[in-house]
Amino acid sequence: EAEVAQSPRYKITEKSQAVAFWCDPISGHATLYWYRQILGQGPELLVQFQDESVVDDSQLPKDRFSAERLKGVDSTLKIQPAELGDSAMYLCASSFTAGRRNEQFFGPGTRLTVL
Amino acid sequence: GENVEQHPSTLSVQEGDSAVIKCTYSDSASNYFPWYKQELGKRPQLIIDIRSNVGEKKDQRIAVTLNKTAKHFSLHITETQPEDSAVYFCAASKGMTGNQFYFGTGTSLTVIP
C-alpha cells in the first residue's frame, strides 16, 4: 500500500540554525498539506498546496518558514532561523484530486527538537 | 474559521467496556467529519468518517454519530481492547477535496487489561 514518505524522522538543531524537511506524497495526490503538531495538541495546518500552487498559507510564519512544491510532487518545508518554540512534530499529508473521497493520508512525521 | 473542541482529553476504560469521545464544531458549513487514531510514535490513520447527510455510521466495533443541529459528533468504541489504546483526533471540514481539516485537541485513550 502506498504511503506518504517524510525525512528525516528526527532532527535536533540549535536555535538560529536552518532546518529542512522533505515530503513525498502518494503518487497521484494533487493536494499536499504541512501540519505542525505540538505535544498534546491536534495537528494545525501550516500550508496547503494544490499541485505546485499554494492554496492556503495563512498560518505559516512567513518571516522564518517557507515551503515549496516546485514540480507539484514532493515538497520541502524550511525553517530559518529555528527558534525554541518550533520544537514539534511536523506532519505531511496528501489527498486525492477533486471528485474523490476527501481522506487525508499522513506521513510518519519529522520530530524537531530545537536546543 | 472553524473551531473544533474535543472531550475528554484523557480517558481510561477497562478492557471490554465502551469508550465515547465527543467533539463539537462551530461552522455549520462543515459537512465531513473524520476520526484519526494515532499510536505512540506513529502517523495518524483514518479509522472512520461521516458526512453530514448521514446521522450514524458503524464499522465493526467503531461507530460515529452526528447531530447537525447541535453541531456535535461522537466516536463510540465498544468491547475495547488494549490495542485500542492511542490518541484519537476528530476533525471537521467542508468536505470538498482539498478543503482544510480542523482538528480537535485529541483524546488519549487507555484500555486497562
Side-chain angles (χ1 to χ4, degrees), chain A residues 27-42:
Chain A
S27 178
H29 283 195
T31 310
L32 184 148
Y33 312 80
W34 282 102
Y35 289 92
R36 176 169 59 188
Q37 184 179 22
I38 296 171
L39 192 64
Q41 299 182 19

Side-chain angles (χ1 to χ4, degrees), chain A:
Chain A
E1 181 175 308
E3 293 185 332
V4 176
Q6 287 187 251
S7 67
R9 294 292 308 278
Y10 304 92
K11 179 69 177 179
I12 300 174
T13 190
E14 294 185 345
K15 63 180 181 179
S16 79
Q17 297 298 305
V19 293
F21 313 134
W22 177 79
C23 173
D24 191 14
I26 293 173
S27 178
H29 283 195
T31 310
L32 184 148
Y33 312 80
W34 282 102
Y35 289 92
R36 176 169 59 188
Q37 184 179 22
I38 296 171
L39 192 64
Q41 299 182 19
E44 292 184 307
L45 183 70
L46 290 174
V47 61
Q48 177 182 335
F49 289 92
Q50 181 69 27
D51 299 310
E52 67 276 9
S53 301
V54 173
V55 173
D56 185 349
D57 64 356
S58 57
Q59 304 294 328
L60 189 71
K62 298 182 187 63
D63 56 335
R64 298 185 300 108
F65 286 64
S66 64
E68 60 183 17
R69 193 183 183 199
L70 294 177
K71 296 183 179 179
V73 181
D74 58 338
S75 175
T76 302
L77 178 69
K78 297 179 181 177
I79 308 175
Q80 184 175 15
E83 295 181 354
L84 295 177
D86 296 333
S87 295
M89 174 75 83
Y90 290 82
L91 291 164
C92 178
S94 67
S95 64
F96 285 117
T97 54
R100 303 285 293 275
R101 184 181 176 189
N102 194 24
E103 179 179 354
Q104 291 188 19
F105 296 82
F106 283 85
T110 296
R111 181 164 294 285
L112 173 67
T113 302
V114 182
L115 303 176

Side-chain angles (χ1 to χ4, degrees), chain B residues 3-74:
Chain B
N3 181 43
V4 177
E5 295 188 355
Q6 183 172 348
H7 300 281
S9 57
T10 60
L11 179 61
S12 292
V13 300
Q14 292 289 332
E15 182 177 358
D17 287 350
S18 296
V20 180
I21 303 170
K22 299 181 179 181
C23 288
T24 61
Y25 61 99
S26 60
D27 190 345
S28 57
S30 292
N31 58 14
Y32 175 69
F33 308 93
W35 285 89
Y36 282 81
K37 175 183 180 182
Q38 187 174 27
E39 297 178 60
L40 191 62
K42 297 188 177 180
R43 70 190 74 197
Q45 291 197 307
L46 180 74
I47 55 171
I48 196 167
D49 56 11
I50 191 168
R51 297 190 181 275
S52 59
N53 58 347
V54 176
E56 183 175 357
K57 184 177 179 180
K58 190 173 182 180
D59 182 4
Q60 298 184 333
R61 297 186 297 107
I62 296 173
V64 57
T65 58
L66 171 65
N67 183 326
K68 285 168 47 180
T69 303
K71 296 198 194 73
H72 69 70
F73 56 111
S74 300

